[in-house]
Amino acid sequence: MSDDVTAPAPPAPAEVIAGAAGPLPEGVTVPMPPVFDDIEDERRYRKEQLAAGFRLFGRFGFSEGVAGHITVRDPEHPDRFWVNPFGMAFSRIKASDLILVDHEGNLLHGSRPVNRAAFVIHAAVHQARPDALAAAHSHSLHGKAFSSLGVPLDPITQDACAFFEDHGLYSDYRGVVSDAEEGKRIAAALGAYKAVILQNHGLLTVGRSVAEAVWWFITMERSCQAQLLAMAAGTPRHIDRETALHTRGQLGGHFAGWFQAQPLYEQIADSDPDHVN
């Protein structure tokens, strides 16, 4: 396929639903991202979504000691973000446990410290990407295994196509991230993409909602697992570029990311209702 094939624009929410479920009969509705008129209501919602995201990471086994973090920008102060307290288990985090830091690393709310790597990486990402409301990173098993190969994900499955020509590769691993300049280099490798593979480290994803960033991480981790399995079994066949771009247009947009996370968030709401406390 020639390189002049361009990616289609992400479809509108109605198009995503119609493409997956067909035309909706009269009176049939689907969930849509909420819209807020009150800052406090929106802040509460974002924090609850973040806490639920951590519960999901815990349930998927993405924890590794004290490593890993998800952040969400504060709705009132875009130069501040909410993040998990350093050293708290993902599976126990509540909305009230979250801490607030600014882009300089100052603790503005909460009584526990911030992970230095979380501040360095996420501050740089949020500064470089004003459109990124949330960012997610952890040392998930298959993500870090795949990252050691130093290659991008291939379009070998439908799900992997969400990341086709829409993820970067950061290949300059220098140990635990503690330097602000390295955070900027990671943000540069992310660029305008939805994700970046941190070589010898793991995965990082972003989204215009917490649910979107969390979903991209979950499905990217599983796409890494699928490619590792396929490579171990033989030589995977690639989806052609035109089809991969078309598929990315169907399931790789912002609304599609948010929507695909909703069944998981419903499970957390039922099984872990204390996350909102």
Side-chain angles (χ1 to χ4, degrees):
M1 183 59 59
S2 63
D3 290 338
D4 62 356
V5 175
T6 56
E15 294 177 287
V16 173
I17 298 302
L24 297 180
E26 185 177 352
V28 175
T29 61
V30 295
M32 298 294 288
V35 178
F36 295 91
D37 295 322
D38 182 80
I39 287 291
E40 285 302 323
D41 288 344
E42 186 168 7
R43 179 178 290 120
R44 184 181 307 109
Y45 173 79
R46 291 188 186 186
K47 290 174 67 178
E48 290 175 357
Q49 289 279 291
L50 188 57
F54 283 116
R55 298 293 180 107
L56 284 169
F57 269 33
R59 186 163 298 182
F60 276 93
F62 294 163
S63 59
E64 186 78 15
V66 299
H69 13 85
I70 315 174
T71 54
V72 64
R73 198 186 300 273
D74 185 79
E76 183 177 9
H77 306 285
D79 61 340
R80 305 174 185 179
F81 56 86
W82 295 90
V83 63
N84 48 312
F86 189 37
M88 179 172 283
F90 290 168
S91 60
R92 298 182 58 191
I93 291 176
K94 302 177 182 179
S96 58
D97 295 320
L98 298 170
I99 62 176
L100 180 68
V101 299
D102 63 18
H103 287 174
E104 283 69 52
N106 298 308
L107 180 64
L108 304 175
H109 177 85
S111 58
R112 296 183 63 160
V114 61
N115 183 329
R116 173 67 181 175
F119 154 66
V120 168
I121 295 173
H122 290 256
V125 167
H126 283 296
Q127 284 180 303
R129 289 284 300 276
D131 64 307
L133 188 73
H137 166 68
S138 84
H139 298 180
S140 56
L141 178 59
H142 301 99
K144 62 185 177 182
F146 188 87
S147 75
S148 70
L149 301 177
V151 298
L153 273 173
D154 290 327
I156 63 171
T157 67
Q158 175 174 295
D159 298 318
C161 286
F163 303 96
F164 182 66
E165 297 185 3
D166 198 15
H167 68 288
L169 176 63
Y170 177 69
S171 57
D172 191 23
Y173 178 74
R174 300 187 182 184
V176 177
V177 180
S178 59
D179 179 69
E181 290 305 312
E182 185 168 8
K184 293 178 182 178
R185 291 193 294 272
I186 289 174
L190 171 67
Y193 300 135
K194 64 163 62 79
V196 60
I197 296 172
L198 309 178
Q199 186 174 303
N200 308 110
H201 189 170
L203 311 175
L204 184 143
T205 60
V206 297
R208 293 187 182 179
S209 64
V210 178
E212 182 191 349
V214 166
W215 172 253
W216 294 143
F217 191 97
I218 291 171
T219 192
M220 192 177 199
E221 156 71 11
R222 296 180 73 110
S223 293
C224 287
Q225 181 181 10
Q227 185 164 334
L228 289 169
L229 289 169
M231 291 168 64
T235 302
R237 295 186 178 183
H238 290 200
I239 298 169
D240 67 87
R241 183 168 185 262
E242 184 175 16
T243 302
L245 288 172
H246 176 70
T247 306
R248 190 188 84 191
Q250 293 175 306
L251 53 80
H254 301 297
F255 174 75
W258 177 88
F259 190 77
Q260 291 177 93
Q262 295 316 295
L264 295 174
Y265 269 80
E266 290 174 2
Q267 291 179 36
I268 290 297
D270 288 340
S271 65
D272 295 33
D274 65 318
H275 76 278
V276 302
N277 296 338

